Amino acid sequence: MIWDIYTREEKNKILLKLLIHVCKADKVIHEGEFSYLIYVCKSLQIDPQLIKEYAALQDVNEYLPQTENERMEVLYHLLFAMNADNNVAPEEETIIFQLAFKLGFSEAITHDFIQLMKKHTLQEIPSGEMIKIIRKYSN
């Protein structure tokens, strides 16, 4: 599919756009969210200056991955970005639900992930809790 013809760099830039879209849902990119975006840029070897450029975008309508592993990786990043400031805003929840649906995830699994994020800071998420949620909904 279209996602498969993108280069690794193009995929990483799409991920950054999505993360920024989540972070600015409540009208401001908080310090913790900005730190997470910088971390992602460094990890994915993307120019951090793109944060400013992508933050100016009003809407993000990108092709998304099709494989389960890539879709889950994107969802994890979206959830972490949402919780990077240790505050899950209702606007962020709405965007997470929309993007998770586009990625092919059910409302139920998305709800469980969001509830997990609301209960814990990123540093406090018990290891294995996200895997438990995935197993709960796996066939």
Side-chain angles (χ1 to χ4, degrees):
M1 320 286 186
I2 293 180
W3 182 260
D4 296 332
I5 64 172
Y6 286 142
T7 65
R8 173 56 46 202
E9 181 180 5
E10 290 169 325
K11 291 176 183 180
N12 292 344
K13 287 179 178 179
I14 289 170
L15 175 60
L16 182 62
K17 286 179 189 177
L18 295 172
L19 296 175
I20 292 169
H21 188 61
V22 169
C23 290
K24 71 177 194 165
D26 58 356
K27 307 294 185 236
V28 64
I29 297 177
H30 299 277
E31 185 178 334
E33 293 168 330
F34 185 74
S35 295
Y36 183 73
L37 294 172
I38 293 293
Y39 164 79
V40 169
C41 287
K42 288 181 181 180
S43 297
L44 300 178
Q45 299 176 341
I46 301 173
D47 183 359
Q49 292 297 319
L50 289 173
I51 295 171
K52 182 178 179 181
E53 178 184 331
Y54 294 165
L57 298 175
Q58 293 302 310
D59 196 23
V60 177
N61 190 16
E62 299 286 347
Y63 289 104
L64 300 173
Q66 299 297 310
T67 67
E68 187 174 356
N69 285 343
E70 286 180 311
R71 292 181 307 114
M72 189 57 66
E73 182 181 330
V74 169
L75 182 60
Y76 273 18
H77 276 292
L78 294 171
L79 292 164
F80 294 156
M82 174 186 68
N83 197 25
D85 62 352
N86 298 319
N87 180 35
V88 177
E91 301 90 349
E92 293 170 330
E93 281 188 63
T94 300
I95 288 178
I96 292 292
F97 273 111
Q98 291 169 351
L99 292 173
F101 179 76
K102 286 181 181 180
L103 286 165
F105 294 102
S106 71
E107 184 176 335
I109 193 171
T110 305
H111 177 267
D112 286 359
F113 278 131
I114 290 172
Q115 293 310 307
L116 180 66
M117 294 295 132
K118 286 181 166 183
K119 290 179 188 174
H120 304 282
T121 66
L122 287 183
Q123 297 77 20
E124 297 172 340
I125 295 174
S127 62
E129 286 301 308
M130 295 183 91
I131 299 297
K132 285 181 186 177
I133 292 171
I134 293 168
R135 285 189 181 136
K136 177 179 172 181
Y137 294 96
S138 295
N139 296 332

